[in-house]
Amino acid sequence: GGYFIWVEFPSHVNSDDFLSYSVEHFGVKFMAGGRCDPFPLSNGGGDNDNTGIAIRSCARLCFADLDRDDLIDAMTAFLEAFRSYMS
């Protein structure tokens, strides 16, 4: 809600890995879902349940400081980065 859109990727996509790829190859930045997890997994999952797994396949996109044309350009670049990452 607010000034952000929450995007859920397919479950096999690690948003930290996609973020690194998108910044390096397309200059596209976003907040990886794992940074928004109030209960991050510890010890590589250890004895925890699945809390935090799905959030690592998500991203938080901010649209607060962009005008319409910049939003269109940003989303076009984001989608291009994602399509490239998935291929």
Side-chain angles (χ1 to χ4, degrees):
Y3 300 112
F4 304 97
I5 295 174
W6 191 251
V7 177
E8 186 175 346
F9 303 119
S11 61
H12 65 277
V13 173
N14 181 306
S15 60
D16 290 312
D17 294 342
F18 172 49
L19 174 60
S20 296
Y21 177 86
S22 67
V23 169
E24 180 180 341
H25 297 283
F26 293 88
V28 173
K29 298 178 184 177
F30 58 87
M31 183 174 289
R35 293 198 57 203
C36 302
D37 190 351
F39 306 106
L41 293 175
S42 59
N43 303 322
D47 296 323
N48 291 330
D49 61 11
N50 288 336
T51 304
I53 296 295
I55 203 166
R56 284 175 172 68
S57 294
C58 297
R60 189 174 86 160
L61 309 179
C62 179
F63 60 90
D65 60 346
L66 299 175
D67 63 27
R68 181 183 180 278
D69 291 337
D70 288 338
L71 274 172
I72 291 169
D73 292 344
M75 288 311 302
T76 300
F78 180 82
L79 291 172
E80 184 179 346
F82 187 70
R83 286 182 183 125
S84 175
Y85 179 76
M86 295 300 290
S87 63

